Amino acid sequence: LHFMSEQFFYAEFKLLPKAGVVTSSVSKAKEVVLEVPRKLIEDWKRENPERELTDQAIAADIARVVVTDAMSSFPDFSAYEVDVPAWLDERHPTMNARACDHHDNGIRAWVITSSDH
Protein backbone atom coordinates (compact mmCIF):
# COMPACT_ATOMS: atom_id res chain seq x y z
CA LEU A 1 0.00 0.00 0.00
CA HIS A 2 1.32 3.42 -0.89
CA PHE A 3 1.61 5.70 2.08
CA MET A 4 2.59 8.86 0.20
CA SER A 5 2.24 12.06 2.17
CA GLU A 6 0.31 12.34 5.40
CA GLN A 7 -1.60 15.28 3.98
CA PHE A 8 -2.00 14.56 0.28
CA PHE A 9 -2.55 11.92 -2.33
CA TYR A 10 -0.52 12.51 -5.50
CA ALA A 11 -2.13 11.24 -8.68
CA GLU A 12 -0.96 11.25 -12.26
CA PHE A 13 -3.53 10.96 -15.03
CA LYS A 14 -2.24 10.19 -18.53
CA LEU A 15 -4.13 11.80 -21.39
CA LEU A 16 -4.76 9.39 -24.22
CA PRO A 17 -5.99 10.37 -27.67
CA LYS A 18 -9.43 8.87 -28.21
CA ALA A 19 -9.64 6.03 -30.69
CA GLY A 20 -10.25 7.24 -34.21
CA VAL A 21 -9.25 10.82 -33.45
CA VAL A 22 -6.57 12.26 -35.70
CA THR A 23 -3.96 13.46 -33.27
CA SER A 24 -1.80 15.68 -35.46
CA SER A 25 -3.59 18.73 -34.08
CA VAL A 26 -3.69 17.49 -30.51
CA SER A 27 -1.97 19.89 -28.16
CA LYS A 28 1.19 19.19 -26.27
CA ALA A 29 -0.66 18.16 -23.12
CA LYS A 30 0.51 14.75 -21.99
CA GLU A 31 -0.74 14.26 -18.45
CA VAL A 32 -2.20 15.98 -15.43
CA VAL A 33 -0.71 15.58 -11.97
CA LEU A 34 -2.75 16.42 -8.91
CA GLU A 35 -2.34 16.99 -5.22
CA VAL A 36 -5.51 15.82 -3.44
CA PRO A 37 -5.82 16.71 0.27
CA ARG A 38 -6.54 13.67 2.44
CA LYS A 39 -9.01 15.84 4.35
CA LEU A 40 -11.31 15.78 1.30
CA ILE A 41 -11.36 11.99 1.40
CA GLU A 42 -12.12 12.00 5.14
CA ASP A 43 -14.94 14.50 4.58
CA TRP A 44 -16.34 12.39 1.75
CA LYS A 45 -16.36 9.29 3.97
CA ARG A 46 -18.21 11.17 6.71
CA GLU A 47 -20.79 12.36 4.20
CA ASN A 48 -21.18 8.89 2.59
CA PRO A 49 -20.86 6.41 5.47
CA GLU A 50 -22.77 3.70 3.60
CA ARG A 51 -20.35 3.68 0.66
CA GLU A 52 -17.46 1.24 0.95
CA LEU A 53 -14.72 2.71 -1.24
CA THR A 54 -10.97 2.77 -0.78
CA ASP A 55 -9.30 6.11 -0.13
CA GLN A 56 -7.67 5.90 -3.54
CA ALA A 57 -10.98 5.22 -5.28
CA ILE A 58 -12.50 8.28 -3.59
CA ALA A 59 -9.44 10.40 -4.43
CA ALA A 60 -9.60 9.25 -8.06
CA ASP A 61 -13.29 10.18 -8.36
CA ILE A 62 -12.71 13.61 -6.84
CA ALA A 63 -9.57 14.20 -8.90
CA ARG A 64 -11.13 13.19 -12.22
CA VAL A 65 -13.51 16.16 -12.06
CA VAL A 66 -10.59 18.52 -11.49
CA VAL A 67 -8.62 16.94 -14.37
CA THR A 68 -11.54 17.70 -16.68
CA ASP A 69 -11.73 21.29 -15.43
CA ALA A 70 -7.97 21.78 -15.73
CA MET A 71 -7.97 20.45 -19.29
CA SER A 72 -11.03 22.39 -20.42
CA SER A 73 -8.82 25.37 -21.30
CA PHE A 74 -7.12 23.27 -23.99
CA PRO A 75 -9.07 23.66 -27.24
CA ASP A 76 -8.70 20.01 -28.24
CA PHE A 77 -9.47 18.45 -24.87
CA SER A 78 -12.40 16.56 -26.36
CA ALA A 79 -9.87 14.57 -28.40
CA TYR A 80 -8.52 13.00 -25.21
CA GLU A 81 -9.67 10.49 -22.73
CA VAL A 82 -8.32 10.39 -19.21
CA ASP A 83 -6.68 7.15 -18.15
CA VAL A 84 -6.91 5.60 -14.69
CA PRO A 85 -4.59 7.41 -12.27
CA ALA A 86 -1.15 6.28 -11.26
CA TRP A 87 -0.41 7.02 -7.61
CA LEU A 88 2.84 8.78 -6.89
CA ASP A 89 4.81 8.37 -3.67
CA GLU A 90 5.89 11.98 -3.67
CA ARG A 91 5.28 15.28 -5.40
CA HIS A 92 5.88 15.29 -9.13
CA PRO A 93 8.91 17.49 -10.03
CA THR A 94 6.65 19.84 -12.00
CA MET A 95 4.76 20.64 -8.79
CA ASN A 96 7.93 22.14 -7.33
CA ALA A 97 8.99 23.79 -10.58
CA ARG A 98 6.01 26.07 -11.20
CA ALA A 99 2.62 27.18 -9.98
CA CYS A 100 -0.38 24.94 -10.56
CA ASP A 101 -2.57 25.40 -13.64
CA HIS A 102 -5.86 24.89 -11.86
CA HIS A 103 -7.13 24.52 -8.33
CA ASP A 104 -10.50 23.66 -6.97
CA ASN A 105 -11.65 22.75 -3.47
CA GLY A 106 -8.08 22.40 -2.22
CA ILE A 107 -7.02 20.13 -5.09
CA ARG A 108 -4.20 21.52 -7.20
CA ALA A 109 -3.60 20.35 -10.77
CA TRP A 110 -0.66 20.79 -13.12
CA VAL A 111 -1.09 20.08 -16.83
CA ILE A 112 2.19 18.62 -18.05
CA THR A 113 3.09 19.36 -21.63
CA SER A 114 5.97 18.18 -23.76
CA SER A 115 7.78 21.43 -22.96
CA ASP A 116 7.90 20.43 -19.28
CA HIS A 117 10.02 17.38 -20.00
Side-chain angles (χ1 to χ4, degrees):
L1 183 72
H2 286 298
F3 182 63
M4 302 184 214
S5 152
E6 288 187 29
Q7 294 163 320
F8 299 102
F9 279 100
Y10 299 114
E12 176 181 42
F13 288 83
K14 298 279 186 207
L15 302 171
L16 306 174
K18 288 181 180 165
V21 172
V22 177
T23 57
S24 61
S25 68
V26 170
S27 71
K28 303 284 189 269
K30 299 285 186 252
E31 57 204 71
V32 180
V33 290
L34 300 105
E35 184 180 77
V36 182
R38 287 186 180 265
K39 181 185 181 309
L40 290 180
I41 285 90
E42 298 308 319
D43 291 348
W44 189 95
K45 287 171 152 174
R46 266 196 302 281
E47 292 162 15
N48 301 276
E50 73 292 343
R51 305 270 310 270
E52 293 289 325
L53 290 175
T54 66
D55 288 1
Q56 286 185 339
I58 296 165
D61 278 354
I62 295 171
R64 199 171 288 277
V65 175
V66 179
V67 169
T68 304
D69 289 348
M71 286 301 301
S72 62
S73 62
F74 284 78
D76 48 9
F77 174 56
S78 60
Y80 287 108
E81 54 193 8
V82 178
D83 200 10
V84 297
W87 300 101
L88 308 175
D89 292 325
E90 54 195 35
R91 288 172 65 91
H92 190 283
T94 301
M95 294 176 169
N96 297 325
R98 61 179 172 85
C100 65
D101 295 303
H102 184 82
H103 60 89
D104 182 30
N105 199 19
I107 299 171
R108 294 193 293 171
W110 288 258
V111 179
I112 297 185
T113 61
S114 45
S115 61
D116 282 311
H117 291 290

